[in-house]
Amino acid sequence: MKTHITFRRDDADLSLHESGAGDALVFQHGLGGSEAQVAEVLPQGLGWRRITTECRGHGSSTLGTRRPFSIAMFAADIIAAADEKGIGRFIAGGISMGAAIALHLAKTHRERVMGLILVRPAWSFARAPDNLEPIREIAALLRSRSLAEGRAIFASSLTAERLRLEAPDNLASLLGYFERPDALAFADVLGDIASDGTGVSQEDAASLAIPALVLANRQDAIHPLAVAQLMADTLPDAHFLEVPAKAAAREAHFAAVQTVIRQFLDTQFKHRSLAHP
């Protein structure tokens, strides 16, 4: 059964989605995504209680007035949502920005995060990574040009030309930022988050001795395979898998991601209870 509630956090209304039963899997969407993006990645009948809180300005959640937006801010909202639901220990996971939030939670709430699922991570250990520069470019255009003019400038840029060849799926997603009904307000989210970092150093990650799954694919300039490989090499108990490229084989990509997540949870946690240490 799926449930949906809204709870107040500071001056923002956050949309919290819950489905399934069992131990808790707190799983977050990517930048510009929503609960629907998470539903694509996680298989049905997983046997876990899945909690997704749409981050400020995403899905049905409001922006609020706190600035700047940050991964740490969003992570704090996730902990508030877990507290709202009475969840103590959980597996943390997410896609892209959601993976960054999960990693931040694993460092800052070690007593609560029992495992990690990082799908197409975009951050490793540096702030404002180069692979997120296209998002920063779009944020600047949204702040300085009309939507139509900004989209036209970006679509004809060298960045877009490169992405058309290397990662067409990324380009389609990036151009979609100009189509959002809240595009002008969302520019602050894009610019702030793409300029941020996880707050987790390589040394921090190397000390996270919990089961971790790291998934990535080729033909993805925003989520480079090398970032995921570095993450998997650094986390001491990580399992890395390259899945089919979403740009080339969308159905095969999601089928592989769902299968591997299910296998990871069954293998690593089937006989464990998160309720007690």
Side-chain angles (χ1 to χ4, degrees), residues 155-177:
S156 62
S157 67
L158 291 177
T159 298
E161 182 178 342
R162 173 175 60 85
L163 292 175
R164 280 191 189 93
L165 297 174
E166 298 177 5
D169 189 63
N170 288 161
L171 180 59
S173 296
L174 291 168
L175 290 172
Y177 287 136

Side-chain angles (χ1 to χ4, degrees), residues 18 20 39 45 52 74 79 94 99 113 121 130 133 139 146 184 204 212 220 262:
E18 179 176 1
T52 298
F74 290 170
I79 286 295
V113 177
D130 290 344
E133 177 59 28
S146 70
L184 297 181
D204 291 331
D220 194 331
R262 185 187 295 277

Side-chain angles (χ1 to χ4, degrees), residues 23 48 262-274:
D23 287 328
W48 287 71
R262 185 187 295 277
Q263 290 174 343
F264 173 74
L265 291 171
D266 286 348
T267 301
Q268 297 295 321
F269 297 99
K270 189 170 185 178
H271 301 295
R272 303 186 191 187
S273 171
L274 304 188

